[in-house]
Amino acid sequence: MTSATSRPAPGESSSPRPGPRPKPAPPSGAPIRVTGAQSLVRSLEAVGCEVVFGIPGGTILPAYDPLLDSTKVRHILVRHEQGAGHAATGYAQATGKVGVCMATSGPGATNLVTPLADANMDSVPVVAITGQQSRPLIGTDAFQEADICGITMPITKHNFLLTDAADIPRAIAEAFHLAATGRPGPVLVDIPKDVLQEMTSFSWPPELRLPGYRPTTRPHGKQVREAAKLIAAARRPVLYVGGGVIKAEASAELLELAESTGIPVVTTLMARGAFPDSHPLHLGMPGMHGTVSAVAAMQKSDLLIALGARFDDRVTGQLSTFAPDAQVVHADIDPAEISKNRRADVPIVGDCKEIIRELVDAVRAEKENTSRTVDLTPWWEQLNALRETFPLGYDWPEDGTLSPQYVIERIGALTPADTVFTAGVGQHQMWAAQFVKYERPRTWINSGGLGTMGYAVPAAMGAKAGVPDVQVWAIDGDGCFQMTNQELATCAIEGIPIKVAVINNGNLGMVRQWQTLFYGERYSSTDLGTHKHRIPDFKLLAEAYGCAGLRAESREEVDAVIQKAMEINDRPVVIDFVVGKDAQVWPMVAAGTGNSEIMAARGIRPLFDEDE
């Protein structure tokens, strides 16, 4: 097609052709006439969306036509909407940007419920765009109609049902702003099919209309000074670090605070990598399967400085017995979290990066202004004794089978320092948190709050799409892997070469562990058949999906197969690690018990005396 300003082809006249002249392009920011679907795609481009994970269907189909022409937004066709949601989460966790997923109405939208709940629990910035039945049909139980706004209201930070195409740019801009600011979280935008089809005006940027939304980022100076007084006077302080520190990009500030005070650091499951594992001030992960030294430090502390953490039950154990002698400084960007589970003596609302910066200065000033100096040497002597007495470790299975902890430990040792790890949920998740050393933030991605099986593979796919130049490994169990492994087809076709380590113990491992400990070894419905019958054969399944399939069944094979996997970068790789079925995760605080009852092995409790 020849525009009015193009040069004529040889033999053509330079005079304009008959018919109306094309209208000149409007000035930047001036409205242009587009369909609602075109407005949606232009809005996604304008907010900087790079990747959309989704599946087309009837009501969202109008959006897929202009999406085909976009040179800025890549669409990745997943095999299940749950995969789209977890991929968006993995992308967001690896990059710090907003992840985007798209689905049609009805079952397409409801298949996003689990990943949206997952993102909500772990404070992940995700925007979900769903199609909806046309406006006249809403409320009539039309084909593939579901009230997805009503369904997701409890599990999203906010959601929109758009009834006017003119509102699309503003809604998309607001959705991205809400998802990424304050406490991050998922936002859903539901758009009826006829709204996507109608003509409207598009202009950018739109005016945001969020009058009641003003997240506090700068902390109150008086509260910071009160916290500094407690820190300067504490004899057994602990920096209790949650995932909010990673969300706030505050790892450098945390390092400065820890090193300037000499206070021990514990990093929760969602905060692994926020503080280097190799650092001598780091005691490891607290909680149900945390290190003994980290659990004991919190339990015996006289001051907990909670940064971007929410006193989750998996960290506190029985709440009434948790850290009985500790005062609490609780810093979080979400005021609703402050004193929700444990009363804060000094509450600080704000962004962790800003809070920690001000804490560093305030603690320094407090120490300069007082003659009183607390020596933390006795505290460290206690903690180092526990660290030396109860290091993380494992026993090899007595039946000669492969140790799953060894497999994960070797993957961590052989992969590059910037490798990103995702995990499913269960024993393999805990071992990946324990035996891989994390030195930097955003290298550990998992489902913490919701505990979603099937998370690892699609999250790894999303992470690799976001950070294509680093290795991405999914540490998965044979139970989790069978929930979402169809996304391997997506990875193979889209050129997303993730590496999947299937820790194949033939069982739902964590459930079996609980049956061993608490149900008299009555193993009801936990044998998956992947050992006895090799159904499925994971190596052959990988090859059927266009991936490289590998297997290791002995200690001698482990390093070689990991190295071989790292050499294959033109397609995804799946390694079937056939391991023993009775390995268990230690230490352990049984559900409903207090942290003082932590067990290092079956039948050993408690590990430390509260009166020590």
Side-chain angles (χ1 to χ4, degrees):
M1 181 176 178
T2 306
S3 70
T5 57
S6 63
R7 293 183 180 180
E12 280 190 336
S13 168
S14 60
S15 60
R17 293 182 179 181
R21 291 175 179 268
K23 294 181 180 179
S28 178
I32 58 173
R33 296 294 290 173
V34 293
T35 65
Q38 289 171 323
S39 180
L40 171 63
V41 173
R42 285 173 178 264
S43 298
L44 290 173
E45 292 174 341
V47 292
C49 173
E50 299 170 330
V51 183
V52 173
F53 302 92
I55 301 179
T59 59
I60 197 65
L61 197 57
Y64 273 82
D65 187 63
L67 191 58
L68 184 65
D69 298 324
S70 178
T71 59
K72 297 179 180 179
V73 180
R74 176 188 182 187
H75 182 269
I76 292 178
L77 176 61
V78 299
R79 297 304 182 265
H80 191 286
E81 289 89 357
Q82 183 179 351
H86 291 321
T89 299
Y91 173 91
Q93 293 283 62
T95 64
K97 302 173 184 177
V98 176
V100 183
C101 53
M102 188 179 289
T104 196
S105 61
T110 58
N111 280 341
L112 291 177
V113 168
T114 295
L116 288 174
D118 186 280
N120 190 57
M121 289 284 276
D122 289 343
S123 305
V124 183
V126 168
V127 169
I129 299 164
T130 53
Q132 182 54 271
Q133 264 295 352
S134 296
R135 287 167 291 187
L137 294 175
I138 292 176
T140 68
D141 291 335
F143 178 67
Q144 292 191 334
E145 183 193 355
D147 177 11
I148 196 62
C149 284
I151 290 168
T152 61
M153 189 174 291
I155 56 166
T156 53
K157 189 173 178 180
H158 190 65
N159 58 37
F160 301 83
L161 171 60
L162 301 185
T163 57
D164 188 339
D167 293 334
I168 289 175
R170 179 174 57 81
I172 293 298
E174 289 177 354
F176 273 71
H177 178 70
L178 288 166
T181 57
R183 180 179 182 171
V187 178
L188 181 135
V189 182
D190 196 31
I191 313 177
K193 182 174 183 178
D194 59 334
V195 172
L196 290 170
Q197 292 171 322
E198 74 180 9
M199 296 302 297
T200 184
S201 295
F202 173 84
S203 64
W204 196 271
E207 178 185 355
L208 302 190
R209 300 176 192 169
L210 299 168
Y213 181 70
R214 294 189 183 90
T216 300
T217 56
R218 291 295 303 275
H220 194 290
K222 181 178 182 296
Q223 299 302 92
V224 172
R225 291 190 294 273
E226 289 298 318
K229 289 178 183 178
L230 292 182
I231 292 170
R235 296 184 178 278
R236 300 186 306 279
V238 175
L239 287 166
Y240 163 28
V241 177
V245 169
I246 293 177
K247 300 292 190 304
E249 306 286 354
S251 293
E253 289 75 13
L254 172 64
L255 183 64
E256 183 179 3
L257 176 62
E259 291 183 337
S260 66
T261 59
I263 297 175
V265 177
V266 301
T267 53
T268 67
L269 181 67
M270 295 306 298
R272 304 290 288 116
F275 194 81
D277 275 353
S278 60
H279 200 287
L281 294 176
H282 194 211
L283 297 177
M285 181 177 71
M288 177 175 275
H289 295 295
T291 64
V292 172
S293 55
V295 173
M298 298 184 80
Q299 198 67 7
K300 292 170 170 287
S301 67
D302 63 0
L303 178 66
L304 290 175
I305 305 109
L307 304 169
R310 58 186 180 89
F311 291 86
D312 174 70
D313 65 288
R314 284 306 195 251
V315 168
T316 66
Q318 188 179 54
L319 191 60
S320 61
T321 64
F322 174 65
D325 300 323
Q327 291 184 286
V328 172
V329 173
H330 193 174
D332 202 282
I333 197 156
D334 185 357
E337 287 296 342
I338 307 282
S339 295
K340 185 180 78 175
N341 294 328
R342 173 68 177 259
R343 189 185 72 84
D345 296 280
V346 179
I348 309 176
V349 177
D351 180 81
C352 273
K353 194 180 192 80
E354 300 284 347
I355 292 170
I356 299 172
R357 278 176 178 167
E358 295 197 18
L359 264 180
V360 170
D361 294 337
V363 171
R364 185 179 297 118
E366 180 67 24
K367 289 183 176 180
E368 290 172 353
N369 294 334
T370 181
S371 57
R372 180 178 58 182
T373 303
V374 176
D375 183 8
L376 297 183
T377 302
W379 179 222
W380 272 109
E381 287 174 352
Q382 290 184 55
L383 299 178
N384 284 330
L386 284 167
R387 186 152 56 178
E388 292 166 11
T389 305
F390 300 106
L392 279 175
Y394 53 90
D395 297 321
W396 275 79
E398 294 179 359
D399 60 3
T401 53
L402 182 58
S403 161
Q405 298 99 320
Y406 177 77
V407 168
I408 292 170
E409 187 176 55
R410 294 309 297 159
I411 293 172
L414 294 173
T415 49
D418 61 352
T419 299
V420 172
F421 292 91
T422 71
V425 169
Q427 288 182 313
H428 65 278
Q429 175 192 27
M430 294 299 106
W431 290 323
Q434 291 175 334
F435 293 107
V436 176
K437 302 304 178 187
Y438 301 98
E439 298 296 314
R440 59 189 77 182
R442 301 196 184 280
T443 54
W444 165 245
I445 299 171
N446 79 123
S447 173
L450 197 64
T452 307
M453 291 181 69
Y455 179 87
V457 170
M461 174 174 68
K464 184 66 174 176
V467 287
D469 296 330
V470 303
Q471 280 194 33
V472 177
W473 280 75
I475 308 294
D476 220 354
D478 48 336
C480 286
F481 183 63
Q482 292 185 79
M483 292 191 174
T484 52
N485 63 34
Q486 67 269 26
E487 299 308 337
L488 289 172
T490 309
C491 292
I493 289 172
E494 294 282 347
I496 304 174
I498 64 171
K499 305 182 193 305
V500 183
V502 181
I503 308 303
N504 178 5
N505 65 2
N507 283 267
L508 297 172
M510 189 63 86
V511 182
R512 181 182 173 89
Q513 175 166 333
W514 282 49
Q515 289 172 335
T516 299
L517 296 176
F518 310 120
Y519 291 88
E521 300 184 5
R522 288 167 54 83
Y523 299 118
S524 173
S525 302
T526 47
D527 187 337
L528 291 167
T530 54
H531 270 199
K532 271 188 295 192
H533 309 294
R534 199 162 274 178
I535 299 174
D537 184 316
F538 292 131
K539 183 175 180 294
L540 295 180
L541 180 69
E543 292 168 357
Y545 273 131
C547 308
L550 307 173
R551 179 175 288 123
E553 300 185 65
S554 68
R555 179 174 186 159
E556 293 71 30
E557 295 173 297
V558 169
D559 281 17
V561 79
I562 293 170
Q563 293 285 6
K564 185 173 182 181
M566 290 195 293
E567 292 167 4
I568 300 171
N569 293 303
D570 61 343
R571 60 197 187 281
V573 182
V574 176
I575 311 174
D576 179 15
F577 287 104
V578 183
V579 301
K581 64 183 178 181
D582 284 316
Q584 297 189 345
V585 183
W586 302 110
M588 179 178 180
V589 178
T593 65
N595 282 353
S596 299
E597 298 180 79
I598 186 171
M599 300 181 288
R602 186 179 182 185
I604 300 177
R605 69 168 77 190
L607 287 185
F608 56 87
D609 189 339
E610 286 287 6
D611 298 325
E612 286 181 356

